[in-house]
Amino acid sequence: MTTAYKLGGRVWIEGPEGTFLGYGRVTLLERIRQHGSISAAARSMQMSYLRAWKLVDSMNRQGRQPLVEKSTGGRGGGGARLTETGERSIELFWSAYRDFQQFLQQRSGPLQG
Amino acid sequence: MTTAYKLGGRVWIEGPEGTFLGYGRVTLLERIRQHGSISAAARSMQMSYLRAWKLVDSMNRQGRQPLVEKSTGGRGGGGARLTETGERSIELFWSAYRDFQQFLQQRSGPLQG
DNA sequence: TGGCGTTATATTCCGAAAAATATTACGGTA
DNA sequence: TACCGTAATATTTTTCGGAATATAACGCCA
């Protein structure tokens, strides 16, 4: 048996200012849903709060409506939660992502180098 | 009319040590064919010779056979030319690349965010 | 034998991106 | 009013990949 090559790749959804949704961004959204705050979500995936905040900000600015609703102060210091748009965005990306993975799988077969 | 999102992405062919063929690498191969040397190819695409040399080395090591044949010294200082494997590798990548572009195009349509 | 332009390789330098750090604002609660 | 943990934002520090620089080896030719 000889070495097998395979097709690799990445996909993302592009918005007005570049990347809108990608693997990392959507994973972050899911963590926010799970943990209820940007900071807890960031911690849970070894991401700095600053980076997470910027990603959320970028997504909120590019979405037709905000994907994440944030509140500051109050009991627990505040938090963040997904909007309906946020939920739909997650689905939107994973759907395209799944199709892409299938494409990669199928297209890896005919790679006779 | 609302803002249109579209699907973006990249593909590459993976070999034993990671990326084997990608857009930049294959473009480099074509430039080597065109110019007859690694250094001239690199210059023609604003790439440093060092970087170009490393890419060629990586491809040669990962291919079943070398993609680029190099000679040192002599009239003109030496040079480089594509092997038959190199030619076939270019085709191999562009073929997958074209299919991927088509996938992106088609899959961008159903992006109703 | 010296010159040329290439391949080959080591080493230093640099800038941009990421990480780390610091500070302020916020608004419930005790 | 003091405290807490968060959001929000500015600033400094670190890291790391690429660029730049330097040098040797090679082999033909004048």
Side-chain angles (χ1 to χ4, degrees):
Chain A
M1 162 191 168
T2 72
T3 306
Y5 296 116
K6 76 172 193 179
L7 196 62
R10 308 187 133 269
V11 284
W12 55 85
I13 294 175
E14 292 179 352
E17 65 178 59
T19 301
F20 172 41
L21 300 172
Y23 189 97
R25 288 167 182 241
V26 167
T27 299
L28 175 62
L29 290 179
E30 290 179 333
R31 297 293 179 109
I32 290 173
R33 172 171 60 192
Q34 180 182 354
H35 291 93
S37 79
I38 294 177
S39 64
R43 276 196 303 274
S44 83
M45 53 193 293
Q46 288 81 48
M47 182 184 285
S48 75
Y49 169 78
L50 179 59
R51 176 163 173 68
W53 183 88
K54 282 180 178 172
L55 290 176
V56 168
D57 191 55
S58 165
M59 288 187 278
N60 273 352
R61 276 185 286 104
Q62 293 190 85
R64 311 205 205 294
Q65 292 162 348
L67 284 67
V68 175
E69 218 170 50
K70 296 164 285 185
S71 71
T72 175
R75 167 192 173 78
R81 61 174 220 77
L82 297 189
T83 64
E84 186 53 41
T85 297
E87 296 287 355
R88 277 190 283 108
S89 295
I90 291 175
E91 265 316 298
L92 182 70
F93 175 77
W94 287 134
S95 170
Y97 181 81
R98 280 192 300 269
D99 288 354
F100 176 60
Q101 293 302 317
Q102 190 179 7
F103 168 83
L104 286 185
Q105 192 84 18
Q106 290 177 347
R107 197 57 182 70
S108 277
L111 284 188
Q112 277 314 334
Chain B
M1 162 191 168
T2 73
T3 306
Y5 296 116
K6 75 171 193 176
L7 195 63
R10 308 187 132 268
V11 285
W12 56 84
I13 294 175
E14 292 179 353
E17 66 178 58
T19 300
F20 171 41
L21 299 173
Y23 189 97
R25 288 168 183 242
V26 168
T27 298
L28 176 61
L29 289 180
E30 291 179 333
R31 297 292 178 111
I32 290 173
R33 173 172 56 192
Q34 180 183 355
H35 291 93
S37 79
I38 295 177
S39 64
R43 277 197 303 271
S44 82
M45 54 193 292
Q46 288 79 46
M47 180 183 288
S48 75
Y49 169 77
L50 179 58
R51 178 162 172 68
W53 183 88
K54 283 178 178 173
L55 291 176
V56 168
D57 191 54
S58 166
M59 289 187 276
N60 273 352
R61 275 185 287 103
Q62 294 189 85
R64 310 205 205 297
Q65 292 162 346
L67 284 68
V68 176
E69 219 170 49
K70 296 164 287 186
S71 72
T72 175
R75 167 194 172 77
R81 60 176 220 79
L82 297 188
T83 64
E84 186 54 41
T85 297
E87 297 286 355
R88 276 190 283 107
S89 296
I90 290 176
E91 264 317 297
L92 183 71
F93 174 76
W94 286 133
S95 170
Y97 181 81
R98 281 192 300 269
D99 288 355
F100 175 60
Q101 293 302 318
Q102 189 178 7
F103 168 83
L104 286 184
Q105 191 85 17
Q106 291 176 348
R107 197 56 183 72
S108 277
L111 283 189
Q112 276 315 331

